[in-house]
Amino acid sequence: MKTARMKVVIAFCFGLMLSASASARDFAIDHLEPASWWVGMKHSRVELMVHGNAIGPLQPRLSRPGVTVIDVQRVANPNYLFVTLEIAASASPGTFDIEFVDGDRVAARHPFRLDAREAGSAARKGFDASDAIYLITPDRFANGDPSNDSVAAMQERADRASPNGRHGGDIAGISAHLDYIAGMGFTQLWPTPLLENDQPKFSYHGYAITDLYRVDRRFGSNEDYRALSRSARAKGVGLIMDVVLNHIGSSHWWMRDLPTPDWINHGGKFAPTNHRRTTVQDPHAAPQDKADFVEGWFSPGMPDLNQRNPHLATYLIQNSLWWIEYAGLSGIREDTFGYADAEFLSAWGKAVLDEYPDFSMVGEEWSASPATVAHWQRGKVNADGHVPHMPSMMDFPVHTALRDALREAEGWDTGWIRLYEALANDYLYPDADRLVVFAENHDTTRMLANVKGDVALFKIAMAYLTTVRGTPQFFYGSEVLMEGPREREDGNIRADMPGGWAGDAKNAFTGAGLSPAERDAQDYLRRLLDWRRNTPVVQHGKLQHFAPVDGVYVYFRYDGQDTVMVALNRNAKPAPLALERFGRFIKAGSKGRDAMSGKAVALGTTLELAGDAATIISIE
């Protein structure tokens, strides 16, 4: 009898243990984001997204001097809580637990960390026209750690033989070649997104993010990314993060358990964007056309985020602030800028600049219309009332004009006149000098392909980017004449950097195996950037240009003390340039010095221009 009674007691206790264990599992915290913050931020109220099975009824609490739970928001999905913390300036750095209470019982705990800010963090200086940006696709740049090429727990494995597969480039590869990047004269590094893209295919490019707080393990770790930023900074190179506010990847964990029914536009079902970016400010646009642009999905694999949801808007703003602070960023390039909700974009930009007044951001608005691009730049007074806060925009109008100008024959309305008239639209921008100018990027054919392999024209394009107003951006590998297809094929345009993989026949980093033409092109850009870095007038001086005549386009950069003349000659043969027209800048007895050779140049009545070349002269 006694034995039987003991068995009953044991069984009862075991049942209680199982019940308690099940309860603990039921209330596990699967996600708490962000999981850390900093003492001394202006953004001192932090809304945490907390996710776990049936945690909605739980009450968060903590015991930490200087940190207070000031608000708890519950939503339709009982698996989420939105908890706002107030972090006082008196709070001390360290890790503590946030408890989630069910009645009198602590049902779950999750750690939260407060960090001290780096000295001068709020006053960090972003990129400007004194910089030169180097754009890379990390998966295609260099493979420094072959052991992470494939990760068993992730959907897509490495396949270097496929143009659209993962090739194995990573943060270790970038870090190993920082000396090359700095030695070429690039002062800012823009990698396409490095955050987790656990998609079944096409995951290499990074724009279908599945975890906004985690670096993709095939690239490395969060700490590797932060170490890259520090190492780059020590070599004089800032780190620009490619941020995506418009969409996520279809394999993001949100898609398995949406926080709210309106978290994703169109109820989480694919509905394509119409790409009609002019509808944002078109006074005649049908409201449905505008909605289809902003709310439509970029692709079936990229669910469109509804930034009108206040919790999502706060999440995205805090995510950007977190990465700036965590990784010590010097800038943000924001993807598909105009596709997101305009009111949110204004709030996001203001929040970033409130925290970091001298920070730099550049938005992507892929339009050849300067009116469309200018709408989004800080300081623009818009008829629709939109107040933008984006300091810079990618200069797609000049990008388009440059490519057209070099591809077509000279004529009354073709050739150099494209560029001349594109710059004439600078009055539309609040600050044209803050624009980022470029000839090519990861979404276009390469410039060398655009000019059908003509290296002379490619060099002219590089000279133009180096001397025109704005901040120049260059695309990895083009400095060694990577050409790629002449029609857009993204996987082949984003080809592997020569020398980034063991056994490569050519090595752009060391010069081994490069042809004389490839070495010459690389050296040409290196010398251009070195000269530019030491010539402030082409960074911040004013620009005056003269209407193209007979295939020659001339402009000057000047600041009241120094003057640089740039003459771009599209003629295959040398051409004499009469200098009388430029009397404001070239006086009788003026002397000049060639920027590339350093040789003295006679400035009499005419100047002999080399054929198919840029002539750059410092006026002395």
Side-chain angles (χ1 to χ4, degrees):
M1 185 64 123
K2 186 175 180 182
T3 303
R5 189 174 295 134
M6 285 184 66
K7 287 182 177 178
V8 170
V9 171
I10 291 170
F12 177 74
C13 292
F14 186 67
L16 287 177
M17 291 170 63
L18 287 176
S19 176
S21 176
S23 178
R25 284 197 301 272
D26 288 345
F27 288 115
I29 303 301
D30 297 323
H31 303 92
L32 187 149
E33 296 175 344
S36 66
W37 205 250
W38 290 265
V39 177
M41 298 276 282
K42 279 190 176 181
H43 192 99
S44 59
R45 290 191 173 187
V46 185
E47 184 178 81
L48 310 180
M49 171 189 279
V50 189
H51 175 241
N53 186 43
I55 66 167
L58 301 183
Q59 183 64 35
R61 73 182 185 192
L62 55 86
S63 179
R64 181 77 174 186
V67 184
T68 310
V69 175
I70 62 169
D71 189 41
V72 180
Q73 294 284 322
R74 293 171 173 84
V75 292
N77 187 336
N79 297 334
Y80 286 87
L81 282 171
F82 290 88
V83 181
T84 301
L85 305 183
E86 178 74 46
I87 301 169
S90 60
S92 58
T95 300
F96 57 91
D97 280 345
I98 300 176
E99 298 178 338
F100 296 87
V101 180
D102 179 19
D104 296 327
R105 182 176 68 89
V106 176
R109 289 184 176 87
H110 198 284
F112 187 82
R113 192 180 74 251
L114 280 180
D115 290 324
R117 302 183 79 179
E118 287 190 12
S121 177
R124 72 185 64 221
K125 183 179 180 298
F127 62 83
D128 61 19
S130 65
D131 287 296
I133 300 171
Y134 193 48
L135 164 61
I136 66 171
T137 303
D139 181 66
R140 308 299 172 84
F141 187 67
N143 188 352
D145 181 7
S147 70
N148 65 12
D149 289 0
S150 296
V151 173
M154 303 189 77
Q155 296 187 72
E156 187 174 17
R157 302 182 68 79
D159 181 8
R160 195 180 177 200
S162 169
N164 297 314
R166 297 193 72 94
H167 291 191
D170 50 28
I171 292 173
I174 302 170
S175 298
H177 297 297
L178 286 174
D179 284 337
Y180 170 81
I181 293 168
M184 279 294 302
F186 302 114
T187 58
Q188 298 287 333
L189 176 63
W190 160 24
T192 54
L194 285 158
L195 299 186
E196 183 187 273
N197 269 239
D198 193 11
Q199 294 287 107
K201 57 183 180 179
F202 298 106
S203 68
Y204 77 92
H205 57 66
Y207 289 98
I209 297 170
T210 56
D211 190 327
L212 286 156
Y213 278 99
R214 185 177 191 179
V215 166
D216 195 296
R217 285 167 283 176
R218 293 161 294 189
F219 289 138
S221 66
N222 283 19
E223 185 53 45
D224 292 334
Y225 183 55
R226 180 157 59 174
L228 170 67
S229 178
R230 289 171 176 165
S231 297
R233 198 183 321 156
K235 297 179 186 296
V237 178
L239 185 62
I240 299 171
M241 188 176 198
D242 205 331
V243 169
V244 186
L245 300 173
N246 179 67
H247 54 264
I248 54 173
S250 56
S251 294
H252 192 292
W253 60 268
W254 283 338
M255 299 304 292
R256 299 188 294 274
D257 192 21
L258 289 176
T260 65
D262 67 344
W263 200 259
I264 302 295
N265 282 320
H266 294 284
K269 304 294 183 184
F270 174 63
T273 178
N274 58 18
H275 298 287
R276 299 301 177 189
R277 48 187 38 84
T278 58
T279 58
V280 171
Q281 52 183 323
D282 177 1
H284 312 295
Q288 187 59 50
D289 285 343
K290 181 177 179 180
D292 287 347
F293 169 58
V294 174
E295 298 173 15
W297 292 27
F298 207 74
S299 77
M302 297 178 175
D304 197 72
L305 295 172
N306 175 23
Q307 301 90 7
R308 295 181 299 280
N309 180 296
H311 294 301
L312 176 56
T314 298
Y315 181 97
L316 294 172
I317 289 170
Q318 291 180 168
N319 182 255
S320 294
L321 296 176
W322 191 91
W323 280 111
I324 295 168
E325 194 73 23
Y326 174 82
L329 302 178
S330 68
I332 281 175
R333 179 265 186 183
E334 209 292 309
D335 180 68
T336 52
F337 190 72
Y339 287 79
D341 179 74
E343 187 175 344
F344 162 76
L345 291 173
S346 182
W348 172 81
K350 183 177 186 302
V352 172
L353 294 178
D354 281 349
E355 194 71 56
Y356 308 99
D358 293 324
F359 191 67
S360 292
M361 299 182 288
V362 57
E364 178 201 33
E365 174 58 285
W366 195 333
S367 172
S369 165
T372 300
V373 176
H375 174 81
W376 300 108
Q377 192 181 25
R378 178 176 58 182
K380 182 69 172 179
V381 178
N382 289 301
D384 65 358
H386 174 69
V387 179
H389 291 276
M390 180 60 76
S392 177
M393 295 297 292
M394 301 300 299
D395 195 343
F396 276 94
V398 162
H399 158 83
T400 303
L402 175 61
R403 292 170 72 90
D404 288 347
L406 291 175
R407 189 174 55 241
E408 59 193 20
E410 283 295 307
W412 175 253
D413 57 357
T414 58
W416 286 135
I417 197 65
R418 303 276 193 188
L419 270 183
Y420 177 76
E421 293 186 347
L423 282 185
N425 289 315
D426 275 3
Y427 71 92
L428 293 169
Y429 297 105
D431 190 354
D433 291 340
R434 289 296 303 267
L435 299 176
V436 172
V437 290
F438 63 105
E440 55 194 349
N441 66 20
H442 57 297
D443 290 325
T444 73
T445 57
R446 290 182 178 264
M447 175 51 82
L448 191 59
N450 179 71
V451 294
K452 299 181 179 179
D454 190 322
V455 175
L457 293 181
F458 167 80
K459 285 183 174 182
I460 289 177
M462 298 301 101
Y464 179 77
L465 295 180
T466 310
T467 55
V468 76
R469 56 92 179 114
T471 305
Q473 171 249 294
F474 303 87
F475 192 33
Y476 80 99
S478 287
E479 69 268 26
V480 291
L481 301 182
M482 284 176 63
E483 182 173 352
R486 294 183 180 177
E487 299 295 330
R488 182 173 171 180
E489 300 169 16
D490 287 349
N492 287 317
I493 290 166
R494 306 159 186 168
D496 294 347
M497 181 74 161
W501 279 253
D504 283 357
K506 293 182 179 182
N507 193 318
F509 305 117
T510 67
L514 296 183
S515 70
E518 290 165 342
R519 285 175 177 268
D520 176 69
Q522 186 182 50
D523 183 61
Y524 181 74
L525 183 56
R526 183 188 293 113
R527 287 185 291 122
L528 267 175
L529 293 177
D530 181 65
W531 169 79
R532 185 181 192 274
R533 183 171 56 242
N534 295 293
T535 311
V537 69
V538 296
Q539 302 167 18
H540 304 295
K542 296 179 181 179
L543 186 149
Q544 185 172 121
H545 61 169
F546 291 76
V549 175
D550 296 332
V552 177
Y553 180 28
V554 176
Y555 54 93
F556 291 81
R557 302 300 305 274
Y558 63 102
D559 61 9
Q561 180 176 351
D562 297 310
T563 301
V564 167
M565 173 185 181
V566 182
L568 308 178
N569 181 18
R570 277 287 310 277
N571 299 291
K573 296 180 179 180
L577 178 67
L579 298 180
E580 181 181 5
R581 186 182 179 204
F582 315 115
R584 177 183 175 186
F585 301 103
I586 302 176
K587 309 295 185 184
S590 291
K591 298 179 181 179
R593 190 164 299 277
D594 186 273
M596 291 291 93
S597 68
K599 294 180 179 179
V601 177
L603 296 174
T605 57
T606 62
L607 175 67
E608 188 76 6
L609 302 179
D612 275 337
T615 299
I616 307 172
I617 298 174
S618 294
I619 310 296
E620 298 177 347

